Amino acid sequence: MSSSSQYTFNDAEDANDAGALRKALSLLKVGLPETFGGRLRNEDNKAREYNQFSLHTPPDITERTRIIAVLGVTKEPAPSGKDGWFVSDFFAFWNIFQGMTEKQTWYHCLDIDSLVAKHTRYLHGNPYKQRKVVLDEKILAESKQSKHPPEHIQADKLKLKTKNMITAACKDAETGNENVLVLLFGHGDRNNHGIVLGGGGRETLKIAEFKSATKGLHTNITLITTSCYSGGWTCNPQLNLSTMTAAGNKNVSLSWRFSGSTGRACGSMFTTALVQKLTKVGATDKTLGDEVEDEDITEHQEETYAEFTRSVHEHLLKGVDRRGYEHQLSFGAQDDAWTMCWRERTGIPLGQFKERWDNLDDWEKDLTLHPGDPMNRDPSVTEEQLADYLQLRADAKAKGEQIASSAGVGMDAATGSVLGKRKTSALYGGTDRGLLGIVSSIGAEYLSSHAGVDDSGDDGGLHSTLRWILDGREIDIDRVEGAHKEVEYRMTQMSTADRYVRMMDISSPKGQLCCEYDTKQNSKEIGEEQTSFLERLIFDREILFPPPFEDQGRPFYKGMEYLTAALHHADIPRDVIVKKIDDLAATLDQTLEQEKEVVKQDPEVSSKRRRLFHSFGVALESISPKKRRSRGLSLTGNA
């Protein structure tokens, strides 16, 4: 048995559902794309069973694929490092793709040199296991001398530059009978499925814009993206291209757990599954040795695109994530050509990836994480490891050692170097400890409110920061201030939803407040069609839940989801629902105009009130630990 002193422990229960995993695996059927996340364009093809292997494949045509890869995040230099997993994904693919084809473009809008100087290295993989170094000083130096160095683009020009590059590449590819492979790494927009590309985190490349960029061009295009809600690109009937996306159209994409040794998540699980699939294929183009036992498979046979995507999904479930059923991977085939092989589809033979990946330096697992920790999503975890972890955790508790809080009450101040000597805002009592006390109090309530997904790009960074604060870890005070702004915004969104329910005179769903209600089962309980109808009503009236201000983090949708549930459970006709929503929006519009007049007439309005006003569209009540249940929009006559 290991010693408990080397590990950090948490009070998390085992969230892994073995039954759900078995069910997910049982649904994957060879040759039937819809069983493994595939979306068919033609209804007539739904009854068709696609071949597993292609017997006649073209010769290697690596020079005939154009690659366009874009890293859209703009905030990685911020103290939280919460977008670092996109950097890891971007460079994971750069390491295996760069130089493999003649025409490649790799765009980003970050100061990569400063990032490497600050963080030393970026890793990829499960922190409970050995990982790969995908970016450090050596790789950075090599990249600058490479045939396809990552190119810095000004953030406010990244989106336009990307659109123009896609158009130009597709035009040239059409003329030269070439393929185009597009890789996009950035946050996704739940409303329109756009992918953030620069612009201070506000510019999104929308599906309509991608379609416009490729209009009239007949090119073989494959899109790979790790964005949240990226399945919307696969589901859109107006977009005819091949897609491999990390999430469904209403699902967040999932990163690896934030590692204490790096302070960042080491890439996405989808990229791990895809890269491992690509790099575990030998030079003969045979399929994975542990997956195929057919003696007749030869080096002249290759997996069809249908089988390739199915096996990626299967590998995610069997070899990467024992909660892989949460991902909702989504795949599409241009013109429903599922029988094309990967090499035909992309122009790149699989066999060349393995050596490149193997040549990257290995990096040890996070030694503070025990493999039996319930938060470890590795399917290879044994019963002995699980039992060892539970015993060590019990021993640590008996000795009075620190047990990390997964969601509940924690310390009200951090220890060590986190506490600087400078004064913080008077809003926090003028001290760092005052700020820590406020964030600890609000953070504990937020984490117990069924809010967000720990391993997602939208929520993982904030959740990890809040837990580190609650657990008394050393943490930069700027990171604490950032977390305070983000959690304020999120708690306000939830209390605002409660206020809307009262204003519309409908009952709280299941008699619960927004912070008590679990919205994760909305689609299942309400139905996809009804959920889409209600969410669209709310999205189209932006004044209800305006997007966050720049320093308030990613959009938070629980308030909208709670209002959706409340309207559904009210059991009223749709025309009545529409009227209630319209009346609510009209009230808010009227209040907004009143608030504008207040701001215009009072030159002493504080800068914070001005900023929150611009962010939310209306004035906000003061937020303090004593008012957590009532935080929301300050609506005249509706307090």
Side-chain angles (χ1 to χ4, degrees), residues 170-241:
C170 288
K171 283 182 178 178
D172 291 341
E174 182 180 37
T175 302
N177 192 27
E178 298 169 334
N179 306 295
V180 176
L181 177 61
V182 180
L183 302 102
L184 300 178
F185 307 94
H187 288 290
D189 188 317
R190 179 167 172 172
N191 183 15
N192 55 36
H193 307 114
I195 298 172
V196 172
L197 298 182
R202 291 290 183 265
E203 287 287 342
T204 62
L205 178 66
K206 300 176 181 63
I207 293 174
E209 292 173 317
F210 190 98
K211 182 183 176 184
S212 175
T214 58
K215 185 177 181 179
L217 300 174
H218 303 285
T219 312
N220 187 18
I221 307 173
T222 299
L223 170 68
I224 298 176
T225 177
T226 60
S227 302
C228 294
Y229 319 113
S230 49
W233 292 71
T234 300
C235 298
N236 192 299
Q238 304 303 316
L239 196 64
N240 183 21
L241 70 161

Side-chain angles (χ1 to χ4, degrees), residues 133-289:
V133 178
V134 294
L135 176 64
D136 59 7
E137 286 187 350
K138 181 181 74 171
I139 293 175
L140 179 60
E142 292 173 352
S143 73
K144 293 177 179 180
Q145 302 301 318
S146 70
K147 192 173 184 179
H148 302 113
E151 180 181 351
H152 179 272
I153 304 296
Q154 193 171 313
D156 60 358
K157 294 183 170 69
L158 182 62
K159 175 183 168 180
L160 179 59
K161 189 86 171 177
T162 300
K163 287 169 56 180
N164 291 341
M165 175 55 67
I166 290 173
T167 299
C170 288
K171 283 182 178 178
D172 291 341
E174 182 180 37
T175 302
N177 192 27
E178 298 169 334
N179 306 295
V180 176
L181 177 61
V182 180
L183 302 102
L184 300 178
F185 307 94
H187 288 290
D189 188 317
R190 179 167 172 172
N191 183 15
N192 55 36
H193 307 114
I195 298 172
V196 172
L197 298 182
R202 291 290 183 265
E203 287 287 342
T204 62
L205 178 66
K206 300 176 181 63
I207 293 174
E209 292 173 317
F210 190 98
K211 182 183 176 184
S212 175
T214 58
K215 185 177 181 179
L217 300 174
H218 303 285
T219 312
N220 187 18
I221 307 173
T222 299
L223 170 68
I224 298 176
T225 177
T226 60
S227 302
C228 294
Y229 319 113
S230 49
W233 292 71
T234 300
C235 298
N236 192 299
Q238 304 303 316
L239 196 64
N240 183 21
L241 70 161
S242 299
T243 55
M244 303 179 70
T245 68
N249 64 326
K250 294 182 180 178
N251 302 90
V252 294
S253 55
L254 302 177
S255 69
W256 287 113
R257 176 187 176 182
F258 272 58
S259 169
S261 62
T262 64
R264 299 179 303 282
C266 301
S268 68
M269 299 182 211
F270 170 68
T271 294
T272 294
L274 184 53
V275 168
Q276 287 184 359
K277 169 63 182 175
L278 291 172
T279 58
K280 285 186 178 179
V281 179
T284 60
D285 291 323
K286 292 181 180 179
T287 54
L288 292 173

Side-chain angles (χ1 to χ4, degrees), residues 102-116:
E102 182 67 26
K103 298 158 186 173
Q104 297 187 21
T105 302
W106 296 78
Y107 286 156
H108 66 87
C109 55
L110 299 174
D111 184 348
I112 302 296
D113 289 83
S114 294
L115 293 181
V116 172

Side-chain angles (χ1 to χ4, degrees), residues 49-68:
E49 184 171 337
Y50 291 87
N51 291 333
Q52 188 175 9
F53 297 97
S54 174
L55 297 178
H56 305 286
T57 60
D60 292 354
I61 48 174
T62 60
E63 73 282 358
R64 301 184 65 180
T65 297
R66 295 172 180 266
I67 296 178
I68 303 169

Side-chain angles (χ1 to χ4, degrees), residues 367-633:
L367 297 178
T368 68
L369 300 178
H370 189 287
D373 182 348
M375 296 179 73
N376 183 9
R377 301 175 74 128
D378 181 12
S380 66
V381 173
T382 66
E383 292 296 327
E384 290 76 13
Q385 289 172 323
L386 293 172
D388 186 45
Y389 174 83
L390 293 175
Q391 183 60 57
L392 290 173
R393 185 175 68 176
D395 293 344
K397 284 183 177 180
K399 296 175 183 177
E401 296 178 8
Q402 177 82 30
I403 303 297
S405 171
S406 66
V409 178
M411 298 177 65
D412 63 358
T415 59
S417 61
V418 63
L419 298 178
K421 294 182 179 180
R422 65 174 177 79
K423 290 288 187 180
T424 58
S425 169
L427 292 171
Y428 317 132
T431 66
D432 289 350
R433 285 192 179 277
L435 171 61
L436 284 162
I438 290 173
V439 177
S440 294
S441 182
I442 301 176
E445 182 177 350
Y446 166 79
L447 289 172
S448 63
S449 67
H450 304 287
V453 180
D454 282 354
D455 300 314
S456 72
D458 280 356
D459 307 314
L462 174 62
H463 289 200
S464 293
T465 298
L466 291 176
R467 291 201 171 100
W468 290 347
I469 292 170
L470 289 168
D471 299 334
R473 298 195 194 187
E474 294 185 6
I475 187 169
D476 188 281
I477 196 63
D478 290 334
R479 189 166 182 173
V480 178
E481 289 185 329
H484 181 230
K485 294 170 184 175
E486 291 188 38
V487 77
E488 267 192 339
Y489 155 71
R490 292 181 174 220
M491 292 299 288
T492 300
Q493 292 285 286
M494 288 191 280
S495 60
T496 295
D498 291 328
R499 183 71 61 87
Y500 289 165
V501 167
R502 293 195 297 272
M503 290 178 65
M504 290 190 293
D505 194 25
I506 58 178
S507 300
S508 301
K510 302 180 182 179
Q512 296 175 327
L513 295 171
C514 183
C515 63
E516 300 167 328
Y517 190 82
D518 188 352
T519 61
K520 294 185 180 68
Q521 299 301 316
N522 266 13
S523 293
K524 184 176 181 180
E525 293 180 357
I526 299 174
E528 288 284 349
E529 195 275 334
Q530 175 77 339
T531 299
S532 296
F533 167 75
L534 293 173
E535 288 188 356
R536 178 48 52 197
L537 281 180
I538 298 169
F539 268 131
D540 287 346
R541 293 151 182 82
E542 189 175 284
I543 193 171
L544 299 181
F545 295 102
F549 199 65
E550 187 172 346
D551 59 0
Q552 292 174 320
R554 296 292 305 152
F556 182 63
Y557 299 108
K558 190 182 179 186
M560 181 199 68
E561 294 167 349
Y562 176 77
L563 191 58
T564 295
L567 289 167
H568 169 74
H569 289 293
D571 195 23
I572 52 180
R574 283 192 172 184
D575 60 331
V576 177
I577 291 176
V578 173
K579 187 176 187 309
K580 283 184 176 291
I581 290 289
D582 284 340
D583 288 347
L584 176 63
T587 300
L588 296 176
D589 279 327
Q590 182 181 6
T591 303
L592 175 58
E593 292 305 314
Q594 296 171 353
E595 295 285 353
K596 283 181 178 179
E597 289 303 314
V598 172
V599 173
K600 287 178 183 178
Q601 297 172 17
D602 185 356
E604 301 301 322
V605 173
S606 69
S607 60
K608 182 177 181 183
R609 182 176 174 83
R610 285 183 180 274
R611 184 176 56 172
L612 291 175
F613 170 77
H614 286 300
S615 172
F616 287 90
V618 292
L620 299 178
E621 295 173 358
S622 172
I623 294 177
S624 67
K626 293 181 179 179
K627 293 185 178 181
R628 288 193 302 273
R629 292 292 183 185
S630 62
R631 276 190 300 273
L633 296 172

Side-chain angles (χ1 to χ4, degrees), residues 310-384:
R310 186 203 67 82
S311 60
V312 168
H313 201 157
E314 182 179 62
H315 180 58
L316 176 78
L317 294 166
K318 283 185 174 181
V320 175
D321 181 13
R322 53 182 171 158
R323 298 209 300 274
Y325 46 82
E326 297 177 349
H327 291 258
Q328 302 296 314
L329 302 189
S330 183
F331 306 107
Q334 190 169 352
D335 299 320
D336 273 350
W338 292 91
T339 54
M340 291 179 70
C341 66
W342 165 269
R343 183 161 52 179
E344 286 178 289
R345 176 68 63 195
T346 65
I348 302 174
L350 291 174
Q352 296 190 17
F353 295 118
K354 178 176 170 55
E355 182 178 357
R356 291 184 168 217
W357 191 251
D358 287 347
N359 285 339
L360 293 176
D361 290 340
D362 294 320
W363 193 260
E364 65 183 1
K365 65 181 183 179
D366 188 329
L367 297 178
T368 68
L369 300 178
H370 189 287
D373 182 348
M375 296 179 73
N376 183 9
R377 301 175 74 128
D378 181 12
S380 66
V381 173
T382 66
E383 292 296 327
E384 290 76 13

